Amino acid sequence: MANALTSQILVDGARNAVVKVVGVLDTSNVSIVDIIDPASFTPTPTGFRIDRISYQVEGGTTVELWWDANTDVRIITLTGAGGDDFCVKGIGGLVSNAGAGVTGKIQLSTEGWASSAVDHFTLTIEMVKMGV
């Protein structure tokens, strides 16, 4: 088998967006890959503010989210062996602090996959569309 990574848009409203990301690692870690692209939404935002991330990560795997830019900027590291609900809406959410070449995309990578293991993760990312 090969690693599987899917993104599903659950909400694409005038202001809010929710995306579910499911991953199965069975051959390697995932290098930085786009999981959320503003071009996939209507109206099309210039980027997103992340208000909440609910997640479940198995094993010793960590999932890292990144703001896409010329030099990608780490948003958060979600650790394995369980799940959590990371809510920052009350403090204004997480907004891109990436510099030159910002695309508005959100990316994902993983670390810690162990040879011959099969690790799963699920993320639900609640966002506000910026620039619409």
Side-chain angles (χ1 to χ4, degrees):
M1 228 171 103
N3 287 344
L5 184 65
T6 58
S7 294
Q8 177 185 10
I9 297 172
L10 302 178
V11 175
D12 183 8
R15 178 178 179 269
N16 298 319
V18 179
V19 173
K20 178 180 175 182
V21 180
V22 176
V24 179
L25 305 179
D26 64 359
T27 55
S28 64
N29 282 302
V30 174
S31 296
I32 294 178
V33 61
D34 297 342
I35 58 166
I36 299 172
D37 185 342
S40 300
F41 294 83
T42 305
T44 304
T46 56
F48 299 95
R49 181 185 83 211
I50 297 174
D51 281 350
R52 176 185 223 140
I53 304 169
S54 300
Y55 66 96
Q56 182 73 35
V57 181
E58 287 185 345
T61 300
T62 60
V63 176
E64 296 178 318
L65 298 180
W66 303 83
W67 300 118
D68 183 36
N70 289 348
T71 301
D72 298 331
V73 175
R74 184 184 337 254
I75 302 169
I76 191 169
T77 300
L78 307 170
T79 60
D84 206 347
D85 188 54
F86 181 79
C87 183
V88 290
K89 184 176 183 177
I91 61 167
L94 301 175
V95 180
S96 178
N97 60 343
V102 172
T103 66
K105 295 178 183 178
I106 297 175
Q107 301 173 310
L108 176 144
S109 66
T110 64
E111 292 183 2
W113 175 79
S115 180
S116 75
V118 178
D119 290 340
H120 301 81
F121 61 86
T122 303
L123 316 174
T124 304
I125 305 170
E126 298 177 22
M127 302 169 291
V128 173
K129 295 177 178 179
M130 306 296 285
V132 294

